Amino acid sequence: MSLPVTYAPKAFRWLNGIFAVYKPADVPHYPFVSSIVDKLVLDINSLEQRPQKKRVVFKRQSEIEDSDHPVDESNQSHVGQLENTLKPVCVPDWFDHPLVQGPRFRHSDFELLCGTTLDVKACGVLVVGLKDLGSDLIKRFDRAKLPRKYLAHGHLGLASLSATGETKIVERSTWQHVTADKIARILMHIQGTHRKASIRQTGVDLSTQKAYELASEGLLKPQQYCGPIILDLKLVEFKPPKFGIEVTCIDEACSDIRRLIHEIGLILKTNAICTYVQRQQDGPFLYDDPNTLLLRQINVQRVLESMTYFRHVLTPGMLKRHTHFRNETLVLPDPVSKAPTQTLLTAASDTQDNGVTTDDDTLLEELSETSVGG
């Protein structure tokens, strides 16, 4: 918005939509969300407030000081009668005074709903919806299953209880045989396995024209939850024993990203822990976008500007719920695959069970031989 908002009731009506904030690491989710609302409440109460309400009382004519219509001295006989006449008068309602009622806007006036949340140790972009319109957009945004991009850092040669550096280190192993090429080949294998598994879960005949059109539009994806699906993996940094990968996925949690780092270490005949998780993109929301607000930048004016920007970014087609998938033909995963001990690479075995062959089946054996030889 070009003009600043100075009237609080008007600003409160406009605070109804979706915007993005950047959540720092080591900050719990609920205190962070509460801080957002606190800053909005504090700022909107500093704007111009509505006038104090008035109430109607009945006063005698003698108690009303009406300088515009003085009593005519020629009608002195009616003065006594006029003094006993009651007249309605508007006076300030002191019960509505801010010193009596408190601030005009309170924490309970702002209904805030977040999209896919981040855990305590993760940081990155977080999509937030305010009030009724924001809550509806958040729900439609989650149903659209737009891909999210993460940056994860790992440390080779270490194993902990939670695959992070926050818990006790239970094992140390050698990592000098690991190279960037080996990690890149592992990532290509995982990416190909997940892509094949995601296509099988769509329930669409891949030999039809509809499947081609859906794939060209990026809509060929499962419409029901079947675990995290990795769409793209890329090695962005390798400074042994530290490395960094870029993960693009859907239906994931931060714990799945950390488990992926742990499994990469196991495949490389070593161990690995995850030291850093950052969500860089959530659909059209970017972590480095100027309209993605930091906590210290949150106020009424900046939030309204962010809502206005993302209102044009979120096109109606992006949030449309597609119903072209044949849900009755969806091949749902085995209930065992939803167990916490299930790894992200078991989709390869599922692919073999369904009669689909892959050229990457011998990759793990080849990498194991080269790892031992190194």
Side-chain angles (χ1 to χ4, degrees):
M1 292 185 179
S2 57
L3 297 177
V5 180
T6 58
Y7 190 53
K10 181 182 293 184
F12 181 74
R13 290 195 302 269
W14 288 349
L15 285 173
N16 191 12
I18 191 171
F19 64 103
V21 295
Y22 187 89
K23 175 194 171 298
D26 298 324
V27 177
H29 174 73
Y30 290 105
F32 177 73
V33 172
S34 180
S35 300
I36 297 175
V37 179
D38 291 341
K39 285 183 173 292
L40 289 176
V41 171
L42 183 63
D43 188 57
I44 199 172
N45 283 322
S46 65
L47 303 179
E48 178 187 356
Q49 303 297 322
R50 63 172 176 82
Q52 184 179 348
K53 293 181 179 180
K54 295 182 179 296
R55 63 189 183 95
V56 178
V57 297
F58 291 88
K59 292 185 176 181
R60 298 182 182 276
Q61 185 68 28
S62 59
E63 299 175 359
I64 302 175
E65 298 179 358
D66 191 1
S67 58
D68 296 336
H69 299 84
V71 180
D72 190 1
E73 297 180 356
S74 60
N75 297 328
Q76 293 294 334
S77 59
H78 299 285
V79 172
Q81 182 178 1
L82 291 175
E83 290 180 353
N84 296 327
T85 303
L86 297 179
K87 184 178 180 180
V89 179
C90 291
V91 297
D93 187 3
W94 297 110
F95 183 75
D96 189 57
H97 196 276
L99 296 179
V100 178
Q101 291 288 339
R104 297 296 188 192
F105 299 95
R106 303 179 182 179
H107 195 283
S108 58
D109 295 329
F110 292 88
E111 180 185 356
L112 192 144
L113 181 65
C114 296
T116 305
T117 59
L118 296 167
D119 57 20
V120 177
K121 296 301 178 181
C123 62
V125 60
L126 180 66
V127 186
V128 179
L130 266 179
K131 299 167 65 174
D132 295 338
L133 178 60
S135 300
D136 180 66
L137 289 176
I138 285 291
K139 295 176 182 178
R140 294 167 59 188
F141 182 75
D142 291 341
R143 289 197 300 263
K145 291 183 178 293
L146 299 179
R148 287 179 284 268
K149 183 187 295 184
Y150 291 83
L151 175 64
H153 290 172
H155 192 288
L156 296 170
L158 299 177
S160 65
L161 296 176
S162 61
T164 64
E166 303 298 327
T167 56
K168 181 180 178 180
I169 301 298
V170 296
E171 185 179 350
R172 297 178 184 271
S173 57
T174 59
W175 49 266
Q176 287 77 9
H177 61 277
V178 179
T179 62
D181 182 64
K182 292 180 180 179
I183 297 180
R185 295 174 66 185
I186 288 292
L187 299 182
M188 292 175 59
H189 171 68
I190 298 175
Q191 175 183 330
T193 302
H194 275 256
R195 283 188 175 181
K196 291 179 181 179
S198 63
I199 292 176
R200 288 190 293 106
Q201 296 298 327
T202 57
V204 179
D205 188 2
L206 300 181
S207 61
T208 60
Q209 179 67 21
K210 178 187 290 187
Y212 172 77
E213 295 174 355
L214 295 177
S216 61
E217 297 177 3
L219 301 177
L220 196 60
K221 53 189 176 182
Q223 293 298 290
Q224 295 187 7
Y225 179 78
C226 55
I229 297 178
I230 297 176
L231 304 177
D232 186 46
L233 279 173
K234 185 187 302 182
L235 180 66
V236 296
E237 181 182 1
F238 183 71
K239 296 179 180 180
K242 299 180 180 180
F243 67 99
I245 62 174
E246 191 178 85
V247 187
T248 304
C249 50
I250 58 176
D251 289 336
E252 84 296 335
C254 294
S255 58
D256 298 323
I257 306 297
R258 297 187 180 95
R259 190 167 71 249
L260 175 63
I261 296 289
H262 172 70
E263 293 174 2
I264 292 175
L266 294 179
I267 297 174
L268 293 171
K269 299 302 179 180
T270 181
N271 293 301
I273 61 174
C274 183
T275 58
Y276 180 77
V277 175
Q278 180 192 41
R279 181 190 292 167
Q280 295 185 335
Q281 183 177 355
D282 191 351
F285 301 92
L286 302 176
Y287 80 106
D288 56 352
D289 195 304
N291 293 281
T292 299
L293 305 178
L294 302 175
L295 185 60
R296 58 181 174 83
Q297 295 176 329
I298 291 180
N299 54 52
V300 173
Q301 184 68 28
R302 294 297 302 272
V303 170
L304 289 176
E305 293 175 355
S306 181
M307 286 183 176
T308 304
Y309 172 78
F310 287 115
R311 186 179 300 118
H312 297 87
V313 172
L314 289 174
T315 60
M318 185 180 298
L319 298 181
K320 182 179 178 181
R321 187 174 184 180
H322 304 279
T323 58
H324 45 255
F325 293 97
R326 297 175 298 172
N327 295 331
E328 66 275 4
T329 61
L330 287 176
V331 182
L332 297 179
D334 194 294
V336 180
S337 63
K338 296 184 179 181
T341 57
Q342 180 74 4
T343 64
L344 297 175
L345 301 180
T346 50
S349 61
D350 295 340
T351 305
Q352 297 176 359
D353 294 340
N354 286 273
V356 181
T357 60
T358 173
D359 296 335
D360 297 333
D361 293 337
T362 60
L363 177 62
L364 303 182
E365 299 178 0
E366 182 181 348
L367 287 173
S368 301
E369 295 175 359
T370 57
S371 300
V372 174

